[in-house]
Amino acid sequence: MKKQILVLTLMLVLVSFLIADNVQFQKMLKAKKTNTTKNTREDVIHYSNDFETPFTWTHYDGSIPAHTWHLTNNTSLTYGGTGYSWFPGQDELGTNGGYLDRQYIVLDTPVINVPTANPTLTFKMKFKVEAIGSSPDLPQYNGWDALNVRISINGGQTWTVLTGLPAYSATSMYGFGFHGEGTNIPGWGGNSTAIAGNTNGWVNASFDLAAYQGQDVKIRFAFASDPAQCTTDDASLFGWVVDNIVLGTFNGVFDTNDTMGMVPGTPVPLGGDEWHIAEYPQAPSPSHVLSCTNAQGTYNVGMMNYVETELITLPQSENIHADFQIRGSFTDPDEFPEVEYFGWEISIDNGVSWRAMSNPTANEDSTNYVYSDVPDAFTSFVEGYNGNGHASGNVSFFAGQPVKFRWYFRSDADAPNGEGIMIDDFKIVYSQFSPAPTNLTAVRSGSAINLAWTVPTLNNRELEGYKVYRSTTSGSGYTMISEIGATSPSYVDASPVANSANYYVVTTIWSALESQYSNEAAEYMHTDTTHELFYHDGVAENGIASSGSIASLYTPIYHGTDPINITALKFFVHTKTANNLQLKIWDATGTEGTPGTELFGMNLVSAQIQPGWNYVVLPAESQVTLTSGSFYIGFQMTAASPKIGIDTGNHGRSYTKTGSNGPWTSVIAGNYLINAFYDNGSGSSDIIINPTKLTACNYPNPFNPETSIQFNMPTNGQVSVKIFNTKGQIVRELFNGKMEQGHNELVWKGVDNNGKNVSSGIYFYQIKTSNQSIMNKMMLIK
């Protein structure tokens, strides 16, 4: 574990902060940034407390130990596995019992006379606490959680650390220093299994008390944990167990659960719980605040005052932040840990363990801060202390989870200098985003491109309209081409960019907010005499990358001796990688009609390749011209190349080759999702390219009680239209028979095959022809 101290400068006041976890000094000023992006969200208050209503939070004096020394018969802890042994933790913590942070508890023997014969203290012990360590930023300490043995000759008024065997693990334990004893207090740390001669972790301890012969003494077993790393961080840390304490006539075996006069306690002075609701004229939300001050307007010595919220379930959101207003005053010229400070923490397990709000994910490499002074006027904590983002208040990691927050104020043994702290206006705020459209599709229709999309869930907000954006580059460069009303989730782009792939995204305008972009949809705007040719159903069940080459075979339709021009292609990337692809076009003059002469080659770099459909439009000077025969389109690739989608429901048109000289072989696993566009100079309706594209959408979506399912049949033929639930079960078969080519429409009224109304929820409609299939999502809301 690391230990750290840091210092921060506020815009209005110097504020320092300290950490019991990682170490450096720095000064930081939080800078505000101007938001130049579009407004896609609004902030909504999820929880607030301005302390103007009856106070329901829990508050307590944390200087009272959370656990203390007691006799336990936990067989995993007791010596020999039977009877009772002394244990300073909680039996229910961790794997075998454990301890918490910030605990200083002691176990004292009754008065014992040290004999002249054999003046030796012996006992059995086993321990496992935080490993011994050091930090260059706290050079005065070389150990953390600490245990040692002490002696008093004046009835417990003063104590002296004893030395004996086994030797202490470190000479300056932070566990004792943190609790005000300063440096150079030795103690054991780490794991007793590292001590030679141990038996299952149990070791014999022996202390020569010859210097105290004939005197009445008390022996103290002292256990102190620092503010970081305890059993809630490592379930195997159980603390310390002591048994068979023998000195003179005192023979403490404890197997009958008899304490034999042993007295547990704590040397830490109790500071009292001072959290309360107080009137304060300058309160941000008049006129009350949460105050940690005493009746004299200052604070007490030895305070460790905690206040914690009730359990709060955070919203389901991508952007959740907590903040509060704070003011007060306290100063201490000493060095940490002997100073006043406050802290802010979060618990995700109903208060069993706590995490610093500077490190809510409990990252071992991050910093856990406490704060060693406060502004004299109420200031937002996040705005005042957010140097290096350590106090951002971000709790988005725990969206939807129940959490608690707590604050604490700690004072040392010095005379108080100041008034303590006050808190007001605690808030949890989340960002409510405008929902983006989904399922955007783009389909060419003559000289236009038709767009359709699914209406997003609106959360009882009014949808004002949509903005439609277009680009000729996938993923960037979008320009708004239209802003339309909310009457229909569709748009016709009557002027797409000719001889180019057109990429579209759509946003919603929703309560004066604009959403993020929808999914991207693309369509190649070609001439009326250009035809699209492919041999798959448009669904990539898998992806393929090969150490060699892959290719798909295409057989165009010629008109006499008129040539065709290969103008463009598109391909589906199932899995994107950081590697490039070598695009190739071959004629079919190879052995038995396999790829022969290379007609075109092009390097596609990774930045040009996107998951899903990708378009490549050949410049006029690079278009491939053929007067007869078939051709191939494919890629030269490696096993690490992006994976090209493959339709396992069709085969016979795809080939692969291993290496550069291997033979081309037919792929029986399926057909690659690679489409060819070619211009044969004819746009007459009797030119049918088989197959063409099956497209579908439904409106409205969400719907109640019915929706219209509209689809475009590529050819005359058999078609089935079925409704499925989220378990994949058929709910309703709307149609199974023959339909004509072109636009078709069916209405689902939200009933199953038995005529019963179905419940609200998500459903899927599947449209399946002899060689193509499409499935889309829809939502029924009642």
Side-chain angles (χ1 to χ4, degrees):
M1 182 180 71
K2 305 172 184 175
K3 308 286 171 187
Q4 187 165 21
I5 304 174
L6 301 102
V7 179
L8 173 72
T9 304
L10 272 175
M11 186 180 299
L12 302 177
V13 63
L14 175 66
V15 179
S16 60
F17 56 90
L18 309 151
I19 169 86
D21 236 36
N22 288 337
V23 181
Q24 62 182 350
F25 287 90
Q26 67 181 34
K27 292 183 181 294
M28 190 68 63
L29 181 67
K30 180 179 185 291
K32 294 182 180 292
K33 296 181 179 180
T34 301
N35 184 9
T36 59
T37 61
K38 63 184 180 184
N39 183 22
T40 65
R41 72 185 196 209
E42 64 178 348
D43 289 335
V44 178
I45 296 176
H46 176 70
Y47 177 94
S48 66
N49 195 336
D50 58 8
F51 309 109
E52 301 299 324
T53 57
F55 191 47
T56 58
W57 290 2
T58 301
H59 51 101
Y60 51 93
D61 182 358
S63 56
I64 300 174
H67 45 80
T68 188
W69 284 92
H70 64 281
L71 284 169
T72 181
N73 60 354
N74 182 341
T75 56
S76 63
L77 295 176
T78 55
Y79 179 63
T82 61
Y84 289 82
S85 298
W86 285 100
F87 174 51
Q90 294 181 3
D91 293 84
E92 65 274 14
L93 280 179
T95 305
N96 298 306
Y99 64 97
L100 300 175
D101 292 329
R102 300 186 178 96
Q103 304 296 295
Y104 189 6
I105 49 181
V106 296
L107 177 66
D108 296 345
T109 68
V111 173
I112 303 171
N113 183 265
V114 179
T116 55
N118 191 22
T120 305
L121 167 69
T122 61
F123 57 90
K124 307 285 187 181
M125 70 172 180
K126 178 172 71 171
F127 60 84
K128 186 176 183 182
V129 294
E130 184 180 3
I132 290 294
S134 62
S135 166
D137 304 292
L138 285 175
Q140 65 271 42
Y141 297 107
N142 58 8
W144 308 130
D145 295 338
L147 359 157
N148 67 18
V149 181
R150 309 180 184 204
I151 191 168
S152 174
I153 59 174
N154 53 14
Q157 296 180 46
T158 58
W159 296 89
T160 302
V161 177
L162 289 171
T163 56
L165 295 176
Y168 289 129
S169 310
T171 59
S172 185
M173 301 298 289
Y174 183 54
F176 295 128
F178 173 79
H179 289 282
E181 291 191 341
T183 59
N184 302 316
I185 307 294
W188 292 297
N191 193 343
S192 59
T193 57
I195 298 174
N198 78 88
T199 303
N200 296 325
W202 284 94
V203 297
N204 296 315
S206 177
F207 292 81
D208 183 358
L209 302 186
Y212 301 94
Q213 289 178 348
Q215 298 187 57
D216 290 336
V217 300
K218 284 186 174 184
I219 303 299
R220 167 169 286 183
F221 298 86
F223 174 87
S225 57
D226 67 18
Q229 194 71 10
C230 64
T231 307
T232 58
D233 304 299
D234 180 350
S236 70
L237 303 180
F238 59 83
W240 192 16
V241 192
V242 175
D243 206 343
N244 291 20
I245 304 170
V246 178
L247 175 60
T249 60
F250 185 86
N251 186 4
V253 179
F254 312 111
D255 282 347
T256 61
N257 198 22
D258 182 0
T259 63
M260 298 184 64
M262 303 287 288
V263 179
T266 176
V268 177
L270 302 182
D273 175 19
E274 297 294 349
W275 284 110
H276 64 283
I277 300 297
E279 284 196 87
Y280 187 72
Q282 290 78 40
S285 53
S287 58
H288 293 84
V289 298
L290 177 59
S291 176
C292 192
T293 58
N294 60 24
Q296 292 72 43
T298 182
Y299 54 91
N300 308 329
V301 299
M303 290 173 62
M304 193 65 180
N305 282 191
Y306 290 94
V307 60
E308 62 184 62
T309 68
E310 66 268 68
L311 205 60
I312 302 169
T313 299
L314 296 177
Q316 288 285 3
S317 176
E318 298 177 355
N319 193 10
I320 313 169
H321 287 78
D323 194 13
F324 60 95
Q325 299 285 317
I326 186 167
R327 72 155 301 277
S329 69
F330 56 87
T331 58
D332 192 323
D334 296 332
E335 295 184 359
F336 182 81
E338 283 306 295
V339 293
E340 277 76 63
Y341 57 81
F342 76 93
W344 183 27
E345 298 177 317
I346 186 172
S347 173
I348 63 172
D349 54 14
N350 199 20
V352 175
S353 62
W354 293 89
R355 305 170 175 196
M357 275 294 290
S358 59
N359 182 20
T361 59
N363 186 337
E364 290 186 0
D365 295 323
S366 295
T367 304
N368 305 313
Y369 294 92
V370 296
Y371 307 87
S372 63
D373 58 4
V374 286
D376 58 8
F378 271 107
T379 301
S380 158
F381 175 84
V382 169
E383 292 185 4
Y385 291 85
N386 198 14
N388 265 356
H390 80 272
S392 67
N394 184 11
V395 290
S396 305
F397 331 96
F398 312 121
Q401 296 185 39
V403 299
K404 284 185 175 182
F405 296 87
R406 78 174 179 184
W407 295 257
Y408 56 87
F409 178 59
R410 189 261 193 187
S411 64
D412 63 8
D414 298 342
N417 186 5
E419 59 181 306
I421 63 173
M422 296 178 180
I423 290 173
D424 201 5
D425 286 355
F426 172 61
K427 294 179 181 179
I428 301 172
V429 178
Y430 69 95
S431 296
Q432 186 161 267
F433 292 84
S434 175
T438 57
N439 301 324
L440 175 65
T441 59
V443 179
R444 179 181 177 273
S445 178
S447 60
I449 295 178
N450 296 334
L451 305 179
W453 56 86
T454 300
V455 179
T457 301
L458 301 179
N459 297 330
N460 299 319
R461 297 299 186 95
E462 182 180 356
L463 177 64
E464 298 170 8
Y466 305 94
K467 289 185 179 181
V468 181
Y469 294 83
R470 183 182 67 202
S471 176
T472 56
T473 303
S474 177
S476 64
Y478 300 118
T479 301
M480 189 180 76
I481 58 173
S482 183
E483 184 170 357
I484 61 177
T487 55
S488 175
S490 62
Y491 175 74
V492 177
D493 182 6
S495 302
V497 180
N499 196 35
S500 174
N502 288 256
Y503 298 91
Y504 298 92
V505 291
V506 179
T507 63
T508 54
I509 307 300
W510 183 69
S511 296
L513 303 175
E514 183 179 6
S515 75
Q516 301 293 335
Y517 293 137
S518 68
N519 62 293
E520 183 184 77
E523 181 67 292
Y524 173 43
M525 191 60 225
H526 50 75
T527 65
D528 290 338
T529 58
T530 298
H531 307 280
E532 184 176 7
L533 187 58
F534 56 96
Y535 303 95
H536 56 75
D537 64 6
V539 178
E541 286 87 7
N542 210 333
I544 186 170
S546 173
S547 296
S549 299
I550 64 172
S552 286
L553 172 63
Y554 306 88
T555 304
I557 295 176
Y558 295 88
H559 289 277
T561 59
D562 292 342
I564 67 162
N565 291 323
I566 303 173
T567 59
L569 64 109
K570 72 178 184 179
F571 61 96
F572 188 91
V573 172
H574 179 273
T575 305
K576 176 178 169 61
T577 69
N579 291 55
N580 302 340
L581 282 172
Q582 289 287 334
L583 170 66
K584 303 286 186 181
I585 301 178
W586 302 269
D587 65 19
T589 60
T591 303
E592 297 182 355
T594 58
T597 303
E598 182 179 319
L599 306 176
F600 177 82
M602 179 181 183
N603 183 43
L604 302 178
V605 299
S606 177
Q608 297 175 285
I609 303 170
Q610 304 299 327
W613 286 107
N614 293 253
Y615 285 80
V616 177
V617 179
L618 278 62
E621 64 273 14
S622 299
Q623 292 178 1
V624 175
T625 301
L626 295 173
T627 56
S628 64
S630 299
F631 63 91
Y632 289 84
I633 297 177
F635 300 96
Q636 181 179 321
M637 59 200 320
T638 70
S641 296
K643 292 185 177 181
I644 303 301
I646 187 169
D647 166 27
T648 59
N650 295 279
H651 67 276
R653 285 280 174 168
S654 295
Y655 294 80
T656 185
K657 179 177 72 171
T658 302
S660 57
N661 299 315
W664 287 97
T665 58
S666 179
V667 176
I668 61 173
N671 282 338
Y672 306 133
L673 271 66
I674 305 174
N675 296 13
F677 294 89
Y678 73 95
D679 188 339
N680 68 356
S682 173
S684 62
S685 60
D686 60 341
I687 303 295
I688 299 175
I689 308 301
N690 182 34
T692 54
K693 186 181 295 184
L694 172 68
T695 59
C697 65
N698 74 297
Y699 181 78
N701 190 13
F703 64 94
N704 180 25
E706 63 182 46
T707 185
S708 172
I709 300 173
Q710 304 171 32
F711 55 100
N712 179 46
M713 283 286 291
T715 61
N716 298 342
Q718 189 77 18
V719 62
S720 68
V721 181
K722 298 177 181 179
I723 310 296
F724 295 85
N725 59 24
T726 55
K727 296 180 180 180
Q729 300 166 328
I730 295 178
V731 174
R732 177 69 184 244
E733 185 174 63
L734 286 179
F735 186 85
N736 191 351
K738 291 184 179 181
M739 279 191 174
E740 298 294 319
Q741 178 186 15
H743 180 80
N744 291 273
E745 181 176 347
L746 295 169
V747 174
W748 183 43
K749 296 185 177 181
V751 296
D752 62 17
N753 281 331
N754 297 319
K756 295 181 179 180
N757 293 326
V758 300
S759 60
S760 297
I762 294 174
Y763 294 88
F764 299 87
Y765 61 90
Q766 180 195 61
I767 302 171
K768 192 171 185 178
T769 67
S770 60
N771 57 9
Q772 297 187 58
S773 177
I774 191 168
M775 180 175 283
N776 288 331
K777 181 172 67 175
M778 56 186 173
M779 181 178 290
L780 171 59
I781 299 177
K782 294 185 176 180

